[in-house]
PDB file of all heavy atoms in Angstrom:
ATOM      1  N   GLU A   1      -6.544   5.093  14.239  1.00  0.00           N
ATOM      2  CA  GLU A   1      -7.970   4.974  13.966  1.00  0.00           C
ATOM      3  C   GLU A   1      -8.318   3.607  13.366  1.00  0.00           C
ATOM      4  O   GLU A   1      -7.474   2.950  12.752  1.00  0.00           O
ATOM      5  CB  GLU A   1      -8.417   6.081  13.006  1.00  0.00           C
ATOM      6  CG  GLU A   1      -8.010   7.490  13.417  1.00  0.00           C
ATOM      7  CD  GLU A   1      -8.746   8.038  14.624  1.00  0.00           C
ATOM      8  OE1 GLU A   1      -8.866   7.313  15.627  1.00  0.00           O
ATOM      9  OE2 GLU A   1      -9.184   9.204  14.568  1.00  0.00           O
ATOM     10  N   PRO A   2      -9.587   3.189  13.486  1.00  0.00           N
ATOM     11  CA  PRO A   2     -10.003   1.921  12.879  1.00  0.00           C
ATOM     12  C   PRO A   2     -10.064   2.042  11.365  1.00  0.00           C
ATOM     13  O   PRO A   2     -10.510   3.055  10.826  1.00  0.00           O
ATOM     14  CB  PRO A   2     -11.395   1.687  13.473  1.00  0.00           C
ATOM     15  CG  PRO A   2     -11.919   3.065  13.752  1.00  0.00           C
ATOM     16  CD  PRO A   2     -10.715   3.864  14.176  1.00  0.00           C
ATOM     17  N   ALA A   3      -9.612   0.990  10.680  1.00  0.00           N
ATOM     18  CA  ALA A   3      -9.583   1.001   9.213  1.00  0.00           C
ATOM     19  C   ALA A   3      -9.834  -0.396   8.692  1.00  0.00           C
ATOM     20  O   ALA A   3      -9.349  -1.380   9.263  1.00  0.00           O
ATOM     21  CB  ALA A   3      -8.234   1.519   8.706  1.00  0.00           C
ATOM     22  N   GLY A   4     -10.603  -0.477   7.620  1.00  0.00           N
ATOM     23  CA  GLY A   4     -10.921  -1.776   7.044  1.00  0.00           C
ATOM     24  C   GLY A   4     -10.816  -1.759   5.534  1.00  0.00           C
ATOM     25  O   GLY A   4     -10.847  -0.694   4.897  1.00  0.00           O
ATOM     26  N   VAL A   5     -10.689  -2.953   4.966  1.00  0.00           N
ATOM     27  CA  VAL A   5     -10.555  -3.127   3.518  1.00  0.00           C
ATOM     28  C   VAL A   5     -11.572  -4.147   3.044  1.00  0.00           C
ATOM     29  O   VAL A   5     -11.845  -5.144   3.725  1.00  0.00           O
ATOM     30  CB  VAL A   5      -9.129  -3.594   3.158  1.00  0.00           C
ATOM     31  CG1 VAL A   5      -9.054  -4.099   1.729  1.00  0.00           C
ATOM     32  CG2 VAL A   5      -8.130  -2.469   3.369  1.00  0.00           C
ATOM     33  N   VAL A   6     -12.137  -3.871   1.863  1.00  0.00           N
ATOM     34  CA  VAL A   6     -13.056  -4.811   1.224  1.00  0.00           C
ATOM     35  C   VAL A   6     -12.664  -4.917  -0.252  1.00  0.00           C
ATOM     36  O   VAL A   6     -12.225  -3.924  -0.851  1.00  0.00           O
ATOM     37  CB  VAL A   6     -14.523  -4.334   1.370  1.00  0.00           C
ATOM     38  CG1 VAL A   6     -14.785  -3.081   0.557  1.00  0.00           C
ATOM     39  CG2 VAL A   6     -15.515  -5.419   1.017  1.00  0.00           C
ATOM     40  N   PRO A   7     -12.747  -6.110  -0.855  1.00  0.00           N
ATOM     41  CA  PRO A   7     -12.423  -6.218  -2.282  1.00  0.00           C
ATOM     42  C   PRO A   7     -13.452  -5.477  -3.130  1.00  0.00           C
ATOM     43  O   PRO A   7     -14.641  -5.478  -2.815  1.00  0.00           O
ATOM     44  CB  PRO A   7     -12.459  -7.729  -2.548  1.00  0.00           C
ATOM     45  CG  PRO A   7     -13.302  -8.297  -1.459  1.00  0.00           C
ATOM     46  CD  PRO A   7     -13.097  -7.424  -0.267  1.00  0.00           C
ATOM     47  N   TRP A   8     -12.988  -4.854  -4.221  1.00  0.00           N
ATOM     48  CA  TRP A   8     -13.901  -4.090  -5.065  1.00  0.00           C
ATOM     49  C   TRP A   8     -13.886  -4.552  -6.519  1.00  0.00           C
ATOM     50  O   TRP A   8     -14.921  -4.731  -7.138  1.00  0.00           O
ATOM     51  CB  TRP A   8     -13.569  -2.595  -4.998  1.00  0.00           C
ATOM     52  CG  TRP A   8     -14.439  -1.782  -5.897  1.00  0.00           C
ATOM     53  CD1 TRP A   8     -14.134  -1.314  -7.151  1.00  0.00           C
ATOM     54  CD2 TRP A   8     -15.789  -1.383  -5.645  1.00  0.00           C
ATOM     55  NE1 TRP A   8     -15.205  -0.630  -7.684  1.00  0.00           N
ATOM     56  CE2 TRP A   8     -16.246  -0.652  -6.778  1.00  0.00           C
ATOM     57  CE3 TRP A   8     -16.653  -1.548  -4.567  1.00  0.00           C
ATOM     58  CZ2 TRP A   8     -17.523  -0.116  -6.857  1.00  0.00           C
ATOM     59  CZ3 TRP A   8     -17.929  -1.006  -4.641  1.00  0.00           C
ATOM     60  CH2 TRP A   8     -18.355  -0.304  -5.782  1.00  0.00           C
ATOM     61  N   THR A   9     -12.712  -4.739  -7.090  1.00  0.00           N
ATOM     62  CA  THR A   9     -12.625  -5.029  -8.518  1.00  0.00           C
ATOM     63  C   THR A   9     -11.360  -5.818  -8.796  1.00  0.00           C
ATOM     64  O   THR A   9     -10.685  -6.289  -7.866  1.00  0.00           O
ATOM     65  CB  THR A   9     -12.624  -3.709  -9.325  1.00  0.00           C
ATOM     66  OG1 THR A   9     -12.706  -3.992 -10.728  1.00  0.00           O
ATOM     67  CG2 THR A   9     -11.376  -2.893  -9.055  1.00  0.00           C
ATOM     68  N   THR A  10     -11.029  -5.982 -10.069  1.00  0.00           N
ATOM     69  CA  THR A  10      -9.748  -6.547 -10.480  1.00  0.00           C
ATOM     70  C   THR A  10      -9.131  -5.629 -11.526  1.00  0.00           C
ATOM     71  O   THR A  10      -9.822  -4.804 -12.138  1.00  0.00           O
ATOM     72  CB  THR A  10      -9.908  -7.961 -11.083  1.00  0.00           C
ATOM     73  OG1 THR A  10     -10.792  -7.895 -12.206  1.00  0.00           O
ATOM     74  CG2 THR A  10     -10.453  -8.945 -10.057  1.00  0.00           C
ATOM     75  N   VAL A  11      -7.833  -5.759 -11.730  1.00  0.00           N
ATOM     76  CA  VAL A  11      -7.149  -4.955 -12.736  1.00  0.00           C
ATOM     77  C   VAL A  11      -7.623  -5.392 -14.124  1.00  0.00           C
ATOM     78  O   VAL A  11      -7.613  -6.576 -14.454  1.00  0.00           O
ATOM     79  CB  VAL A  11      -5.625  -5.124 -12.641  1.00  0.00           C
ATOM     80  CG1 VAL A  11      -4.930  -4.254 -13.689  1.00  0.00           C
ATOM     81  CG2 VAL A  11      -5.126  -4.778 -11.242  1.00  0.00           C
ATOM     82  N   ARG A  12      -8.046  -4.434 -14.910  1.00  0.00           N
ATOM     83  CA  ARG A  12      -8.529  -4.729 -16.257  1.00  0.00           C
ATOM     84  C   ARG A  12      -7.389  -4.686 -17.274  1.00  0.00           C
ATOM     85  O   ARG A  12      -6.395  -3.984 -17.078  1.00  0.00           O
ATOM     86  CB  ARG A  12      -9.591  -3.696 -16.666  1.00  0.00           C
ATOM     87  CG  ARG A  12     -10.850  -3.728 -15.822  1.00  0.00           C
ATOM     88  CD  ARG A  12     -11.743  -2.558 -16.174  1.00  0.00           C
ATOM     89  NE  ARG A  12     -12.962  -2.543 -15.365  1.00  0.00           N
ATOM     90  CZ  ARG A  12     -13.803  -1.512 -15.300  1.00  0.00           C
ATOM     91  NH1 ARG A  12     -13.539  -0.392 -15.989  1.00  0.00           N
ATOM     92  NH2 ARG A  12     -14.881  -1.582 -14.546  1.00  0.00           N
ATOM     93  N   VAL A  13      -7.569  -5.450 -18.344  1.00  0.00           N
ATOM     94  CA  VAL A  13      -6.646  -5.351 -19.462  1.00  0.00           C
ATOM     95  C   VAL A  13      -6.709  -3.910 -19.992  1.00  0.00           C
ATOM     96  O   VAL A  13      -7.785  -3.358 -20.186  1.00  0.00           O
ATOM     97  CB  VAL A  13      -7.016  -6.351 -20.572  1.00  0.00           C
ATOM     98  CG1 VAL A  13      -6.137  -6.137 -21.798  1.00  0.00           C
ATOM     99  CG2 VAL A  13      -6.893  -7.778 -20.063  1.00  0.00           C
ATOM    100  N   GLY A  14      -5.573  -3.311 -20.182  1.00  0.00           N
ATOM    101  CA  GLY A  14      -5.530  -1.915 -20.601  1.00  0.00           C
ATOM    102  C   GLY A  14      -5.220  -0.972 -19.460  1.00  0.00           C
ATOM    103  O   GLY A  14      -4.941   0.219 -19.676  1.00  0.00           O
ATOM    104  N   GLU A  15      -5.257  -1.490 -18.216  1.00  0.00           N
ATOM    105  CA  GLU A  15      -4.922  -0.659 -17.049  1.00  0.00           C
ATOM    106  C   GLU A  15      -3.494  -0.928 -16.569  1.00  0.00           C
ATOM    107  O   GLU A  15      -3.127  -0.504 -15.474  1.00  0.00           O
ATOM    108  CB  GLU A  15      -5.904  -0.924 -15.906  1.00  0.00           C
ATOM    109  CG  GLU A  15      -7.288  -0.360 -16.148  1.00  0.00           C
ATOM    110  CD  GLU A  15      -8.217  -0.562 -14.965  1.00  0.00           C
ATOM    111  OE1 GLU A  15      -8.205  -1.665 -14.373  1.00  0.00           O
ATOM    112  OE2 GLU A  15      -8.985   0.373 -14.640  1.00  0.00           O
ATOM    113  N   GLN A  16      -2.705  -1.625 -17.394  1.00  0.00           N
ATOM    114  CA  GLN A  16      -1.350  -1.962 -16.963  1.00  0.00           C
ATOM    115  C   GLN A  16      -0.322  -0.908 -17.361  1.00  0.00           C
ATOM    116  O   GLN A  16       0.843  -1.022 -16.984  1.00  0.00           O
ATOM    117  CB  GLN A  16      -0.899  -3.307 -17.549  1.00  0.00           C
ATOM    118  CG  GLN A  16      -1.841  -4.455 -17.217  1.00  0.00           C
ATOM    119  CD  GLN A  16      -2.687  -4.841 -18.412  1.00  0.00           C
ATOM    120  OE1 GLN A  16      -3.451  -4.030 -18.917  1.00  0.00           O
ATOM    121  NE2 GLN A  16      -2.546  -6.060 -18.876  1.00  0.00           N
ATOM    122  N   ASP A  17      -0.737   0.075 -18.130  1.00  0.00           N
ATOM    123  CA  ASP A  17       0.188   1.119 -18.557  1.00  0.00           C
ATOM    124  C   ASP A  17      -0.065   2.389 -17.743  1.00  0.00           C
ATOM    125  O   ASP A  17      -1.217   2.780 -17.527  1.00  0.00           O
ATOM    126  CB  ASP A  17       0.005   1.438 -20.042  1.00  0.00           C
ATOM    127  CG  ASP A  17       0.327   0.241 -20.923  1.00  0.00           C
ATOM    128  OD1 ASP A  17       1.267  -0.494 -20.574  1.00  0.00           O
ATOM    129  OD2 ASP A  17      -0.368   0.047 -21.931  1.00  0.00           O
ATOM    130  N   GLU A  18       0.992   3.017 -17.292  1.00  0.00           N
ATOM    131  CA  GLU A  18       0.848   4.272 -16.558  1.00  0.00           C
ATOM    132  C   GLU A  18       2.102   5.115 -16.741  1.00  0.00           C
ATOM    133  O   GLU A  18       3.137   4.642 -17.198  1.00  0.00           O
ATOM    134  CB  GLU A  18       0.577   4.010 -15.077  1.00  0.00           C
ATOM    135  CG  GLU A  18       1.588   3.116 -14.389  1.00  0.00           C
ATOM    136  CD  GLU A  18       1.303   2.965 -12.910  1.00  0.00           C
ATOM    137  OE1 GLU A  18       0.751   3.906 -12.319  1.00  0.00           O
ATOM    138  OE2 GLU A  18       1.645   1.920 -12.353  1.00  0.00           O
ATOM    139  N   ASP A  19       1.980   6.363 -16.366  1.00  0.00           N
ATOM    140  CA  ASP A  19       3.059   7.321 -16.556  1.00  0.00           C
ATOM    141  C   ASP A  19       3.762   7.557 -15.221  1.00  0.00           C
ATOM    142  O   ASP A  19       3.184   8.130 -14.310  1.00  0.00           O
ATOM    143  CB  ASP A  19       2.490   8.628 -17.108  1.00  0.00           C
ATOM    144  CG  ASP A  19       3.585   9.653 -17.395  1.00  0.00           C
ATOM    145  OD1 ASP A  19       4.732   9.228 -17.610  1.00  0.00           O
ATOM    146  OD2 ASP A  19       3.282  10.858 -17.381  1.00  0.00           O
ATOM    147  N   ARG A  20       4.988   7.072 -15.112  1.00  0.00           N
ATOM    148  CA  ARG A  20       5.811   7.298 -13.926  1.00  0.00           C
ATOM    149  C   ARG A  20       7.252   7.566 -14.372  1.00  0.00           C
ATOM    150  O   ARG A  20       7.670   7.124 -15.435  1.00  0.00           O
ATOM    151  CB  ARG A  20       5.812   6.073 -13.001  1.00  0.00           C
ATOM    152  CG  ARG A  20       4.492   5.767 -12.327  1.00  0.00           C
ATOM    153  CD  ARG A  20       4.639   4.539 -11.425  1.00  0.00           C
ATOM    154  NE  ARG A  20       3.369   4.103 -10.884  1.00  0.00           N
ATOM    155  CZ  ARG A  20       2.860   4.505  -9.727  1.00  0.00           C
ATOM    156  NH1 ARG A  20       3.529   5.372  -8.994  1.00  0.00           N
ATOM    157  NH2 ARG A  20       1.700   4.046  -9.306  1.00  0.00           N
ATOM    158  N   PRO A  21       8.028   8.259 -13.537  1.00  0.00           N
ATOM    159  CA  PRO A  21       9.451   8.473 -13.863  1.00  0.00           C
ATOM    160  C   PRO A  21      10.181   7.128 -13.935  1.00  0.00           C
ATOM    161  O   PRO A  21      10.128   6.341 -12.990  1.00  0.00           O
ATOM    162  CB  PRO A  21       9.965   9.319 -12.686  1.00  0.00           C
ATOM    163  CG  PRO A  21       8.743   9.913 -12.078  1.00  0.00           C
ATOM    164  CD  PRO A  21       7.641   8.934 -12.289  1.00  0.00           C
ATOM    165  N   ARG A  22      10.868   6.881 -15.029  1.00  0.00           N
ATOM    166  CA  ARG A  22      11.491   5.574 -15.224  1.00  0.00           C
ATOM    167  C   ARG A  22      12.908   5.490 -14.656  1.00  0.00           C
ATOM    168  O   ARG A  22      13.476   4.403 -14.576  1.00  0.00           O
ATOM    169  CB  ARG A  22      11.497   5.215 -16.715  1.00  0.00           C
ATOM    170  CG  ARG A  22      10.088   4.996 -17.257  1.00  0.00           C
ATOM    171  CD  ARG A  22      10.058   4.679 -18.731  1.00  0.00           C
ATOM    172  NE  ARG A  22       8.679   4.493 -19.178  1.00  0.00           N
ATOM    173  CZ  ARG A  22       8.044   3.319 -19.184  1.00  0.00           C
ATOM    174  NH1 ARG A  22       8.667   2.246 -18.760  1.00  0.00           N
ATOM    175  NH2 ARG A  22       6.802   3.233 -19.601  1.00  0.00           N
ATOM    176  N   ARG A  23      13.480   6.595 -14.248  1.00  0.00           N
ATOM    177  CA  ARG A  23      14.812   6.545 -13.639  1.00  0.00           C
ATOM    178  C   ARG A  23      14.738   6.237 -12.150  1.00  0.00           C
ATOM    179  O   ARG A  23      15.695   5.741 -11.570  1.00  0.00           O
ATOM    180  CB  ARG A  23      15.537   7.878 -13.861  1.00  0.00           C
ATOM    181  CG  ARG A  23      15.940   8.142 -15.310  1.00  0.00           C
ATOM    182  CD  ARG A  23      16.652   9.473 -15.419  1.00  0.00           C
ATOM    183  NE  ARG A  23      17.880   9.509 -14.607  1.00  0.00           N
ATOM    184  CZ  ARG A  23      18.539  10.614 -14.314  1.00  0.00           C
ATOM    185  NH1 ARG A  23      18.105  11.787 -14.763  1.00  0.00           N
ATOM    186  NH2 ARG A  23      19.640  10.566 -13.583  1.00  0.00           N
ATOM    187  N   ASP A  24      13.626   6.563 -11.539  1.00  0.00           N
ATOM    188  CA  ASP A  24      13.432   6.346 -10.104  1.00  0.00           C
ATOM    189  C   ASP A  24      13.185   4.851  -9.862  1.00  0.00           C
ATOM    190  O   ASP A  24      12.223   4.282 -10.381  1.00  0.00           O
ATOM    191  CB  ASP A  24      12.242   7.184  -9.625  1.00  0.00           C
ATOM    192  CG  ASP A  24      12.057   7.144  -8.122  1.00  0.00           C
ATOM    193  OD1 ASP A  24      12.088   6.041  -7.550  1.00  0.00           O
ATOM    194  OD2 ASP A  24      11.848   8.213  -7.521  1.00  0.00           O
ATOM    195  N   ILE A  25      14.034   4.202  -9.080  1.00  0.00           N
ATOM    196  CA  ILE A  25      13.926   2.754  -8.872  1.00  0.00           C
ATOM    197  C   ILE A  25      12.552   2.365  -8.326  1.00  0.00           C
ATOM    198  O   ILE A  25      11.931   1.407  -8.797  1.00  0.00           O
ATOM    199  CB  ILE A  25      15.036   2.266  -7.914  1.00  0.00           C
ATOM    200  CG1 ILE A  25      16.395   2.360  -8.595  1.00  0.00           C
ATOM    201  CG2 ILE A  25      14.782   0.822  -7.483  1.00  0.00           C
ATOM    202  CD1 ILE A  25      17.558   2.008  -7.689  1.00  0.00           C
ATOM    203  N   SER A  26      12.058   3.097  -7.341  1.00  0.00           N
ATOM    204  CA  SER A  26      10.756   2.773  -6.753  1.00  0.00           C
ATOM    205  C   SER A  26       9.636   2.915  -7.777  1.00  0.00           C
ATOM    206  O   SER A  26       8.741   2.070  -7.858  1.00  0.00           O
ATOM    207  CB  SER A  26      10.480   3.671  -5.541  1.00  0.00           C
ATOM    208  OG  SER A  26      11.412   3.422  -4.507  1.00  0.00           O
ATOM    209  N   GLN A  27       9.697   3.978  -8.567  1.00  0.00           N
ATOM    210  CA  GLN A  27       8.663   4.190  -9.577  1.00  0.00           C
ATOM    211  C   GLN A  27       8.780   3.168 -10.708  1.00  0.00           C
ATOM    212  O   GLN A  27       7.773   2.721 -11.273  1.00  0.00           O
ATOM    213  CB  GLN A  27       8.750   5.611 -10.130  1.00  0.00           C
ATOM    214  CG  GLN A  27       8.536   6.701  -9.095  1.00  0.00           C
ATOM    215  CD  GLN A  27       7.177   6.641  -8.437  1.00  0.00           C
ATOM    216  OE1 GLN A  27       6.186   6.249  -9.064  1.00  0.00           O
ATOM    217  NE2 GLN A  27       7.097   7.013  -7.167  1.00  0.00           N
ATOM    218  N   LEU A  28      10.019   2.782 -11.043  1.00  0.00           N
ATOM    219  CA  LEU A  28      10.217   1.751 -12.059  1.00  0.00           C
ATOM    220  C   LEU A  28       9.676   0.414 -11.569  1.00  0.00           C
ATOM    221  O   LEU A  28       9.046  -0.329 -12.331  1.00  0.00           O
ATOM    222  CB  LEU A  28      11.704   1.630 -12.404  1.00  0.00           C
ATOM    223  CG  LEU A  28      12.068   0.617 -13.511  1.00  0.00           C
ATOM    224  CD1 LEU A  28      11.348   0.966 -14.815  1.00  0.00           C
ATOM    225  CD2 LEU A  28      13.578   0.580 -13.714  1.00  0.00           C
ATOM    226  N   ARG A  29       9.897   0.113 -10.285  1.00  0.00           N
ATOM    227  CA  ARG A  29       9.324  -1.096  -9.687  1.00  0.00           C
ATOM    228  C   ARG A  29       7.796  -1.064  -9.763  1.00  0.00           C
ATOM    229  O   ARG A  29       7.148  -2.072 -10.042  1.00  0.00           O
ATOM    230  CB  ARG A  29       9.756  -1.217  -8.231  1.00  0.00           C
ATOM    231  CG  ARG A  29      11.172  -1.689  -8.022  1.00  0.00           C
ATOM    232  CD  ARG A  29      11.250  -3.200  -8.033  1.00  0.00           C
ATOM    233  NE  ARG A  29      12.475  -3.685  -7.434  1.00  0.00           N
ATOM    234  CZ  ARG A  29      12.760  -4.952  -7.255  1.00  0.00           C
ATOM    235  NH1 ARG A  29      11.898  -5.880  -7.640  1.00  0.00           N
ATOM    236  NH2 ARG A  29      13.896  -5.327  -6.702  1.00  0.00           N
ATOM    237  N   ALA A  30       7.240   0.108  -9.501  1.00  0.00           N
ATOM    238  CA  ALA A  30       5.783   0.251  -9.564  1.00  0.00           C
ATOM    239  C   ALA A  30       5.275   0.007 -10.977  1.00  0.00           C
ATOM    240  O   ALA A  30       4.251  -0.669 -11.181  1.00  0.00           O
ATOM    241  CB  ALA A  30       5.371   1.641  -9.075  1.00  0.00           C
ATOM    242  N   LEU A  31       5.982   0.551 -11.975  1.00  0.00           N
ATOM    243  CA  LEU A  31       5.602   0.331 -13.369  1.00  0.00           C
ATOM    244  C   LEU A  31       5.619  -1.152 -13.721  1.00  0.00           C
ATOM    245  O   LEU A  31       4.684  -1.671 -14.337  1.00  0.00           O
ATOM    246  CB  LEU A  31       6.567   1.082 -14.293  1.00  0.00           C
ATOM    247  CG  LEU A  31       6.343   2.576 -14.472  1.00  0.00           C
ATOM    248  CD1 LEU A  31       7.544   3.201 -15.185  1.00  0.00           C
ATOM    249  CD2 LEU A  31       5.071   2.841 -15.266  1.00  0.00           C
ATOM    250  N   ARG A  32       6.669  -1.835 -13.321  1.00  0.00           N
ATOM    251  CA  ARG A  32       6.789  -3.264 -13.616  1.00  0.00           C
ATOM    252  C   ARG A  32       5.739  -4.070 -12.871  1.00  0.00           C
ATOM    253  O   ARG A  32       5.262  -5.097 -13.358  1.00  0.00           O
ATOM    254  CB  ARG A  32       8.197  -3.739 -13.259  1.00  0.00           C
ATOM    255  CG  ARG A  32       9.275  -3.182 -14.195  1.00  0.00           C
ATOM    256  CD  ARG A  32      10.663  -3.527 -13.710  1.00  0.00           C
ATOM    257  NE  ARG A  32      11.687  -3.078 -14.660  1.00  0.00           N
ATOM    258  CZ  ARG A  32      12.993  -3.090 -14.413  1.00  0.00           C
ATOM    259  NH1 ARG A  32      13.440  -3.524 -13.242  1.00  0.00           N
ATOM    260  NH2 ARG A  32      13.845  -2.668 -15.329  1.00  0.00           N
ATOM    261  N   ASN A  33       5.396  -3.613 -11.675  1.00  0.00           N
ATOM    262  CA  ASN A  33       4.374  -4.307 -10.902  1.00  0.00           C
ATOM    263  C   ASN A  33       3.016  -4.228 -11.589  1.00  0.00           C
ATOM    264  O   ASN A  33       2.253  -5.194 -11.658  1.00  0.00           O
ATOM    265  CB  ASN A  33       4.282  -3.703  -9.497  1.00  0.00           C
ATOM    266  CG  ASN A  33       3.656  -4.640  -8.494  1.00  0.00           C
ATOM    267  OD1 ASN A  33       4.322  -5.507  -7.950  1.00  0.00           O
ATOM    268  ND2 ASN A  33       2.355  -4.497  -8.249  1.00  0.00           N
TER     269      ASN A  33
END
């Protein structure tokens, strides 16, 4: 199907913390990202 992307916002200070499993390499990468 057709799909498009448009910019909306930027990451705000305070949005860098989240709850993910820290043993899972992919989730740990996501946390660090």
